[in-house]
Amino acid sequence: MGNFDSAADVKIYDYKTRSIHEEKCCLLMFRENGKIACLGNECMQYIGRSELESEPCIPIKLGRVVDYTAAENFFKYLHRIYIKKTNGKPRLFKRSNKILLFLHEPCSEVDKKIYMDLMAFLGYANVIIITSETNLGGMSPEEAIWSSEEVHGKIDCAFEIGKKDLREYARYAEQELKKDLKRWGCEGE
């Protein structure tokens, strides 16, 4: 996996159909023109193949947006595939102008603003952000996401950004720390 250890796993919650979908937060882009070759889980079957002449792009690493344009394309794709369509048919009206983001990492004000801008691009005026620092009152993330309508009113959809296997994040964070230590001229183990 290597580079893909840092790729977030995104769960998409559709409040209208009460369904949950999962995608890997990655894109493959053609080297010659920068266009998107594939997105999400589809990328995992093409990793390491040279015939696509593509390179991986991870828009969100450790809960932070590192490539805004790629993240914009990724969320637009998820929204189009899982929220704008119900049972394969286009949905005419949004259920609400609210969206919920559940981030399993701490989030600075700058990161929150970036996520709010990305969701505004999808047409949501009200963005509710829950981070790892939010007290859930003993609920699991999934329970908190589904029950958030009791507090905030109708919500159209939710994106949960985290990692299924936290060891992948730990490996990536360790690699990044080693790079930083080398760059800073510090010797560390």
Side-chain angles (χ1 to χ4, degrees):
M1 286 292 280
N3 191 30
F4 285 93
D5 286 347
S6 64
D9 295 315
V10 178
K11 284 186 180 178
I12 305 97
Y13 294 79
D14 186 349
Y15 283 89
K16 184 173 184 172
T17 62
R18 303 297 283 184
S19 60
I20 302 173
H21 310 278
E22 294 185 35
E23 289 282 346
K24 185 66 104 173
C25 187
C26 60
L27 296 90
L28 285 179
M29 306 189 70
F30 290 112
R31 287 188 188 109
E32 68 272 357
N33 58 13
K35 292 193 177 186
I36 298 170
C38 60
L39 291 130
N41 294 337
E42 187 182 11
C43 295
M44 303 316 287
Q45 62 189 344
Y46 295 111
I47 294 172
R49 292 187 181 177
S50 60
E51 69 265 13
L52 266 183
E53 298 277 335
S54 60
E55 57 187 48
C57 176
I58 312 294
I60 301 173
K61 293 182 181 181
L62 297 173
R64 290 180 177 81
V65 175
V66 293
D67 187 331
Y68 187 88
T69 305
E72 186 177 71
N73 287 324
F74 181 71
F75 282 119
K76 192 165 83 172
Y77 165 77
L78 293 181
H79 192 257
R80 185 180 70 240
I81 298 299
Y82 296 116
I83 306 303
K84 280 189 162 185
K85 291 184 179 181
T86 304
N87 298 326
K89 296 179 182 174
R91 191 187 292 182
L92 296 177
F93 301 104
K94 276 199 275 189
R95 186 169 185 269
S96 169
N97 71 343
K98 293 179 191 169
I99 188 168
L100 177 106
L101 290 175
F102 190 101
L103 305 168
H104 285 271
E105 297 291 322
C107 191
S108 71
E109 291 301 315
V110 174
D111 293 327
K112 286 180 184 177
K113 177 68 173 139
I114 290 168
Y115 279 115
M116 287 179 170
D117 288 348
L118 286 168
M119 297 306 113
F121 177 75
L122 296 177
Y124 294 101
N126 298 317
V127 181
I128 304 153
I129 298 178
I130 299 174
T131 68
S132 63
E133 298 163 336
T134 305
N135 182 0
L136 300 179
M139 289 190 282
S140 71
E142 188 170 326
E143 290 171 335
I145 289 169
W146 287 125
S147 65
S148 61
E149 281 194 313
E150 296 169 11
V151 176
H152 300 288
K154 276 190 172 183
I155 298 173
D156 191 41
C157 63
F159 292 124
E160 180 183 358
I161 301 169
K163 198 70 175 159
K164 281 188 220 173
D165 183 3
L166 296 176
R167 287 175 289 191
E168 292 177 5
Y169 262 3
R171 277 194 297 270
Y172 174 74
E174 180 185 28
Q175 291 170 356
E176 290 300 303
L177 179 61
K178 286 179 182 177
K179 286 180 195 173
D180 288 342
L181 288 172
K182 186 176 180 180
R183 182 171 47 91
W184 297 330
C186 299
E187 294 297 322
E189 293 185 18

